[in-house]
Amino acid sequence: MEKNKNEVIEIDIKQIIMLLLSKALYIGIVGVVFAIFAFTYFKFVAQKQYTSSAQLYVMNTESDTLTSSDITVYNYITKDCMEIITTRPVLEKVIAELGLDMSVGTLKSKISASNSANSRLITITVSDTSPVMAKRIVDSLSKASAQHIKEVTKAEFVNPVFDGEVATAPSSPNVMRNSLIALILGLAVGCAIVVIRFLLDDSIKGAEDVEKYLGISVIGTIPLFGEDEDLGVSYKHGAKVKKSAMPQRPQRPVQRPQQAGQRPVSDAARAEERVRRMNPDGNAEMRRRPNPDGNAETRRRANSEGNGAVRRRSNSEGNADTRRNSDSDRNSEERR
């Protein structure tokens, strides 16, 4: 998706297809949710309708030969009869005969009449939540309409072909068909949500988006490193990484707490104490003994003080030897 200077949105079809493929799981979940909802509703909640049908045969003459004009007349008569079936006098007669607690309009909404092309048969269909009531209504309606058609059209023969039957299975709703429609609708809704979110998203995702939308060349990028201590999740280059997979930080050695009433001892004081306890070979001893604090400054100070102590002791011993030698020389001179 790109925007030019005239604010016209250009959509990359290939990018949209790849986006839909990457979100196929999400889209499929939306479709399945719609299908499950529709199946549950039409299977267990929606009222089931049962239908029952009857047929009437309409004939205006006893002649065995029919001309083209007779066929045209029969077609018009048949259409008129279909309209007469749902008229108010016929429906009122059915309501009175069966003692129905419904209005003429309600009963009319349950009735449908049809006719095949070039046929004198009229099919009457009645739908109701009760299969028995649907049969009773269609039987009463076929008799009442046949009588009324004879009175109105002066047709000689309007006879029922067959009566209605009690339905054993509901005619509607069609659970499988409605579930399939809901599945397709859910997939379409999922695709629409993904595409709309993509079109409304104008955030910068990377260096390519900077060059595409801003027209600026990217000199360099800074990798993102971070760690969320509370969530135990680390981030590397914008991606989440488990904390266990990241290198652990070295832990500081735990210092023992000072005893009550004891004054803290500094590093310099501990170094001086070690120097005072050195033997004549203390310089080498200090090199052999590792400094537990790892302080280079302390090692240099200990070495310098150790060398000074050795030099002072050597000078004192040299002076004593010189004095003894001079005394012995004087005594020898005096005896001679």
Side-chain angles (χ1 to χ4, degrees):
M1 181 186 68
E2 297 182 2
K3 279 187 178 182
N4 55 22
K5 294 181 180 180
N6 296 327
E7 298 297 329
V8 177
I9 300 177
E10 298 179 0
I11 301 175
D12 188 357
I13 301 299
K14 182 178 179 181
Q15 189 177 7
I16 294 294
I17 294 175
M18 297 302 296
L19 175 66
L20 294 177
L21 291 177
S22 64
K23 300 293 185 180
L25 180 60
Y26 168 78
I27 296 172
I29 291 175
V30 174
V32 171
V33 169
F34 271 61
I36 293 175
F37 177 79
F39 179 84
T40 304
Y41 176 78
F42 290 110
K43 183 70 175 179
F44 304 104
V45 179
Q47 285 188 342
K48 297 177 175 59
Q49 295 290 327
Y50 298 86
T51 60
S52 183
S53 300
Q55 275 190 345
L56 294 178
Y57 180 75
V58 180
M59 188 174 178
N60 196 28
T61 180
E62 295 181 354
S63 178
D64 296 333
T65 60
L66 296 175
T67 62
S68 59
S69 60
D70 292 336
I71 295 175
T72 304
V73 171
Y74 281 134
N75 290 334
Y76 283 113
I77 292 175
T78 303
K79 292 180 181 179
D80 294 339
C81 293
M82 292 171 57
E83 296 295 330
I84 293 173
I85 290 172
T86 56
T87 55
R88 183 177 56 83
V90 176
L91 299 181
E92 287 179 347
K93 187 179 294 186
V94 172
I95 292 174
E97 181 181 351
L98 299 178
L100 301 177
D101 186 15
M102 63 179 67
S103 63
V104 173
T106 304
L107 180 59
K108 185 176 181 179
S109 64
K110 297 175 179 289
I111 300 169
S112 63
S114 61
N115 169 249
S116 301
N118 300 324
S119 173
R120 288 172 288 182
L121 293 175
I122 300 174
T123 303
I124 304 172
T125 304
V126 176
S127 299
D128 194 80
T129 55
S130 171
V132 177
M133 181 57 67
K135 178 189 177 338
R136 292 180 60 192
I137 293 174
V138 75
D139 291 343
S140 177
L141 182 63
S142 63
K143 294 177 182 178
S145 59
Q147 183 179 359
H148 195 68
I149 289 171
K150 289 179 181 180
E151 295 175 357
V152 174
T153 63
K154 305 301 181 181
E156 297 179 2
F157 298 98
V158 181
N159 300 320
V161 178
F162 60 83
D163 295 334
E165 295 181 352
V166 178
T168 58
S171 58
S172 65
N174 192 330
V175 178
M176 297 305 299
R177 183 190 63 187
N178 295 341
S179 299
L180 181 60
I181 294 174
L183 175 62
I184 297 174
L185 179 62
L187 294 176
V189 171
C191 293
I193 293 174
V194 171
V195 173
I196 291 174
R197 289 186 61 185
F198 172 73
L199 295 177
L200 296 180
D201 186 9
D202 57 353
S203 60
I204 302 298
K205 300 294 190 305
E208 296 180 356
D209 293 341
V210 174
E211 296 178 357
K212 182 187 295 184
Y213 299 121
L214 302 180
I216 302 174
S217 299
V218 178
I219 300 176
T221 59
I222 301 175
L224 176 62
F225 291 91
E227 184 173 335
D228 196 332
E229 297 289 346
D230 297 332
L231 301 179
V233 178
S234 299
Y235 300 87
K236 183 178 181 180
H237 294 286
K240 290 185 179 181
V241 182
K242 290 185 178 180
K243 187 175 180 181
S244 58
M246 297 294 291
Q248 299 294 329
R249 298 177 180 177
Q251 297 182 355
R252 296 181 179 179
V254 180
Q255 297 182 356
R256 296 180 180 179
Q258 297 288 340
Q259 296 180 1
Q262 183 178 357
R263 297 177 60 186
V265 181
S266 63
D267 294 342
R270 285 196 294 269
E272 292 177 358
E273 183 67 22
R274 285 196 297 272
V275 171
R276 285 195 295 270
R277 294 179 181 178
M278 284 193 307
N279 53 24
D281 297 331
N283 192 13
E285 181 66 20
M286 285 298 296
R287 286 195 296 270
R288 287 194 299 270
R289 293 178 60 189
N291 187 359
D293 298 328
N295 193 338
E297 182 65 26
T298 304
R299 288 197 299 271
R300 287 195 298 270
R301 183 172 179 181
N303 291 334
S304 62
E305 292 181 355
N307 293 332
V310 172
R311 286 196 297 272
R312 286 194 298 271
R313 184 167 182 175
S314 299
N315 292 334
S316 62
E317 291 178 354
N319 293 332
D321 292 338
T322 302
R323 285 194 299 271
R324 284 195 297 272
N325 291 333
S326 59
D327 292 339
S328 61
D329 291 340
R330 282 196 300 272
N331 293 332
S332 298
E333 290 291 336
E334 290 176 358
R335 283 195 296 273
R336 284 196 297 271

